[in-house]
Amino acid sequence: MKKSFKVLAISLIAALSVTACSSNSTTNTNNSNTQTTDNTAVSTTVDPFAKYDEPVVVSLGRSIDPTYKYEGTDTAEDNLYTRWLKDAYNIVIKHEWEASSSDYGQKVSLAIGSNDLPDTMLVDETQLRLMVKADQLADLTEVYEKFGTDRLKQIYDSNPGLLEGVTFDGKLYALPETTLPSAPLTWIRKDWLDKLNLPEPKSLEDLEKIAKSFVDNKMGGENTIGIVGTQQGGSLYSTFLSSGDHYLNFSSVFFAKDAYPGIWITDKDGNAQYGSTTQETKDALSTLSGWYANGILDKEIGLRKSTQELISSGQTGIFFGPWWSAYNLTDAINNDPDANWRPYATPLNDEGKFNSNQATGSSYIVVKKSYKHPDAIIKMMNIHVNEKQESYKTAVGKELTSQEIPLFLIMGHGDQLEYAVKTTQKVLSGEMPLEDVDRLNYGFTYELASHVKNVKTEPFDNYDIQYWDQKTDADFFTHLYAHLNGGSTFVDADINWVKSLATAQTKTMQTKWSNLKKLEDEAFLKIIMGSAPIEEFDTFVEKWKQQGGDQITEEVNELK
């Protein structure tokens, strides 16, 4: 997932960060507030983009990808973006500490426990709730209302419930990331389907037959792998703590069995139960175990260093992943221009429903209670979501990633993806003129629509790889291929969403969840790979309940 998210962050920064296409002076430069002094109304105007007269230092706790390659001698603390912040706004970024992405959560927890906090940092929901309870956070209600631009407020208003979820006792304690829409689609080499005269899949049984045919006919060579999935360090499925993790795992198989491992669901009596302990999950594990025994799953599940390499090299023909997976198909297409990867809203359950867990936001910006300039954090978010001032083109002039941009959050209108897909389709077909695209609120959609006729050839409603011009406008091919190929399938799907009852750790989870999750992962992987019988599932459930699961379930019931 790390590799895919890096690609996603680089490729979607423009797509999912709202980028206005008019100047700051026309979008929102001033917020008006009325104060009353001696019975006289005085109107004060606040410029949310004003440069500070004196340098304002913002100290961060920062997650760093040690493999990321910066330009020249740049670092996460000192780069094109942070230098521009200093020159244009007098905001000085200082790193109080840095941690690798794998160690960041632990570092944050230590900072919370010792009450030794940087001015601001990104936290998860569990950490946010701990900090609220410990009275460590600044109330952002007033500075958000006073300094937040219309654009920033429009984004949150179009994502109902986000700000309410970080408001406690009437006080706003965080700025949440907007949710990246996600459900696992089934991606298949349609050119292989066509060569073997196989129909598009609907059910798990269809997928099994297709995968078996791919292997038997050696479509990817002598060592063809029918279906690939979890790699080393990856997850078998999304969880309530990683709800959007749908890339290269087996969430789809579980959902098709009406199983929701890793999240908290309601049983037939209305009580909370952990989805990994249900009969439906046991049935899904039995299916995966059968597939593994029949030779259609990757024999190195959970052990392989890079599943992505199997896709890029053309060795496999099926994987599960969200709509944006097309961004990770560039190497596969470059290596084989006929590689026609197409997404399908399958497999369906026995009732014909397409199930998925519902992704929830996972990152939150928080500000230390004693920090004197919480307005600087609001200002940084204004800068992030609005069009950059003219100096940005000279000082930076290119797309940057979460490794350069401090306090990077995915930020977009709630209907950003659907608007991008539907509008681009309409411009392509001639149903809508380009000038009718809402350039102000959906800047990247305008860019997509501006380039689509250079990239998509007729028939316009057929997204097979042979109907794309990959060279004329190469920079936008990947964006458009992802949105029209993957995005259209996702937004057109009729999805039965299931949201976890718990989206953060309870009190007992904080001490016992790590061991319980290890117990679960080891038991399930053994069952799938055949080193343990399916009956091992019942042993797992019994141990899980005894080692803290029952107590945790009681705590989740209290959240309902």
Side-chain angles (χ1 to χ4, degrees):
M1 187 64 185
K2 289 178 184 176
K3 180 178 180 180
S4 66
F5 185 77
K6 183 191 293 184
V7 175
L8 178 64
I10 293 171
S11 303
L12 292 186
I13 184 172
L16 294 174
S17 297
V18 176
T19 305
C21 292
S22 59
S23 69
N24 284 335
S25 61
T26 59
T27 55
N28 183 315
T29 57
N30 300 308
N31 288 345
S32 295
N33 298 275
T34 300
Q35 301 175 340
T36 301
T37 305
D38 297 330
N39 298 320
T40 302
V42 180
S43 179
T44 61
T45 301
V46 173
D47 181 357
F49 295 104
K51 181 176 181 178
Y52 288 107
D53 294 332
E54 299 293 332
V56 172
V57 176
V58 180
S59 72
L60 304 178
R62 189 75 189 272
S63 173
I64 302 295
D65 180 353
T67 67
Y68 187 77
K69 302 298 183 184
Y70 292 93
E71 183 174 301
T73 59
D74 281 1
T75 65
E77 185 180 45
D78 181 10
N79 59 64
L80 292 171
Y81 192 91
T82 59
R83 290 193 293 272
W84 172 71
L85 276 181
K86 169 65 169 64
D87 293 340
Y89 299 99
N90 233 348
I91 295 174
V92 180
I93 301 299
K94 295 293 184 182
H95 286 188
E96 190 160 318
W97 50 258
E98 298 177 352
S100 66
S101 52
S102 60
D103 295 331
Y104 179 75
Q106 182 180 12
K107 186 71 173 179
V108 170
S109 296
L110 289 172
I112 295 170
S114 63
N115 198 28
D116 184 13
L117 304 172
D119 297 331
T120 183
M121 58 183 173
L122 293 174
V123 300
D124 62 27
E125 185 177 349
T126 301
Q127 293 161 342
L128 167 63
R129 291 178 180 274
L130 284 173
M131 298 180 83
V132 170
K133 187 175 181 179
D135 194 26
Q136 294 176 322
L137 298 179
D139 176 6
L140 301 176
T141 308
E142 184 177 343
V143 291
Y144 172 75
E145 287 300 325
K146 185 176 181 179
F147 291 95
T149 59
D150 287 345
R151 181 60 48 76
L152 180 61
K153 293 173 182 176
Q154 288 166 1
I155 291 172
Y156 282 130
D157 288 346
S158 71
N159 289 272
L162 270 186
L163 290 187
E164 289 80 356
V166 294
T167 299
F168 302 85
D169 296 328
K171 298 178 180 180
L172 180 68
Y173 282 117
L175 297 176
E177 184 175 53
T178 57
T179 303
L180 184 67
S182 182
L185 305 173
T186 298
W187 291 79
I188 301 181
R189 284 284 298 263
K190 186 172 179 288
D191 52 314
W192 290 6
L193 287 180
D194 294 340
K195 287 179 181 178
L196 298 175
N197 197 29
L198 295 171
E200 297 176 359
K202 296 292 184 184
S203 65
L204 286 170
E205 291 74 20
D206 293 340
L207 277 180
E208 182 176 6
K209 291 176 183 177
I210 290 170
K212 188 71 164 56
S213 295
F214 285 175
V215 172
D216 290 346
N217 288 278
K218 301 179 181 179
M219 301 302 293
E222 287 294 327
N223 298 313
T224 298
I225 298 173
I227 301 175
V228 294
T230 307
Q231 63 187 24
Q232 190 177 108
S235 59
L236 289 171
Y237 36 78
S238 53
T239 73
F240 74 102
L241 295 175
S242 59
S243 57
D245 184 6
H246 294 137
Y247 187 61
L248 297 181
N249 60 38
F250 298 112
S251 293
S252 296
V253 179
F254 288 94
F255 297 158
K257 286 288 189 178
D258 298 311
Y260 299 94
I263 73 171
W264 295 85
I265 57 177
T266 303
D267 66 16
K268 58 183 177 60
D269 297 320
N271 297 314
Q273 64 176 341
Y274 185 48
S276 296
T277 64
T278 65
Q279 178 63 41
E280 289 81 3
T281 292
K282 182 178 181 179
D283 293 341
L285 287 171
S286 181
T287 295
L288 287 168
S289 178
W291 285 5
Y292 188 90
N294 291 335
I296 63 174
L297 287 187
D298 182 10
K299 290 297 183 183
E300 296 184 37
I301 290 172
L303 304 174
R304 188 177 296 278
K305 289 186 177 180
S306 174
T307 299
Q308 182 67 44
E309 291 181 1
L310 300 177
I311 299 170
S312 299
S313 66
Q315 193 175 339
T316 187
I318 303 173
F319 71 88
F320 304 108
W323 69 268
W324 50 259
S325 299
Y327 276 101
N328 287 349
L329 294 175
T330 303
D331 288 343
I333 296 171
N334 287 338
N335 292 334
D336 181 0
D338 295 325
N340 188 22
W341 283 101
R342 297 300 311 278
Y344 302 90
T346 57
L348 309 178
N349 70 1
D350 290 342
E351 297 176 353
K353 292 181 180 179
F354 181 54
N355 297 327
S356 178
N357 72 308
Q358 188 171 6
T360 56
S362 58
S363 293
Y364 305 83
I365 294 174
V366 294
V367 181
K368 182 171 64 174
K369 187 175 183 177
S370 61
Y371 183 51
K372 297 184 182 301
H373 286 284
D375 49 286
I377 310 307
I378 303 297
K379 184 170 292 188
M380 289 173 66
M381 289 303 294
N382 291 337
I383 295 165
H384 182 47
V385 303
N386 284 265
E387 185 194 15
K388 306 298 184 290
Q389 62 173 249
E390 192 66 26
S391 64
Y392 181 86
K393 296 179 182 178
T394 303
V396 181
K398 65 177 183 177
E399 286 186 4
L400 297 176
T401 77
S402 59
Q403 293 302 305
E404 284 104 354
I405 301 174
L407 301 179
F408 178 92
L409 291 182
I410 298 294
M411 297 291 289
H413 283 78
D415 64 346
Q416 184 89 356
L417 177 61
E418 182 173 5
Y419 185 84
V421 170
K422 297 299 183 182
T423 300
T424 304
Q425 289 174 329
K426 290 177 181 178
V427 171
L428 178 62
S429 66
E431 185 179 344
M432 175 190 288
L434 181 62
E435 54 267 25
D436 284 356
V437 177
D438 184 353
R439 192 176 183 181
L440 179 64
N441 292 306
Y442 301 92
F444 191 68
T445 295
Y446 183 84
E447 294 298 323
L448 288 173
S450 299
H451 292 264
V452 67
K453 292 183 179 179
N454 297 335
V455 175
K456 186 67 185 75
T457 62
E458 294 189 86
F460 294 143
D461 60 351
N462 188 326
Y463 302 130
D464 285 346
I465 194 65
Q466 61 265 36
Y467 302 118
W468 294 83
D469 181 344
Q470 301 180 34
K471 297 182 179 180
T472 299
D473 200 345
D475 289 344
F476 263 83
F477 163 71
T478 304
H479 288 303
L480 285 158
Y481 182 68
H483 280 76
L484 293 184
N485 188 23
S488 66
T489 300
F490 174 72
V491 300
D492 289 342
D494 182 12
I495 303 174
N496 177 42
W497 296 108
V498 176
K499 184 178 180 179
S500 180
L501 297 175
T503 55
Q505 288 191 357
T506 64
K507 181 179 180 180
T508 302
M509 286 188 205
Q510 293 166 27
T511 56
K512 296 187 177 182
W513 194 251
S514 178
N515 288 335
L516 287 175
K517 192 65 174 69
K518 181 180 179 182
L519 175 71
E520 178 179 335
D521 291 343
E522 290 179 352
F524 285 13
L525 193 58
K526 287 179 179 179
I527 291 172
I528 293 172
M529 299 181 74
S531 59
I534 191 62
E535 289 75 21
E536 183 68 21
F537 177 84
D538 301 318
T539 303
F540 151 72
V541 173
E542 184 178 347
K543 289 181 179 179
W544 184 88
K545 290 182 176 182
Q546 292 174 349
Q547 295 177 21
D550 279 343
Q551 185 177 355
I552 291 170
T553 302
E554 289 181 12
E555 294 173 349
V556 174
N557 266 309
E558 293 173 1
L559 297 175
K560 293 170 59 210

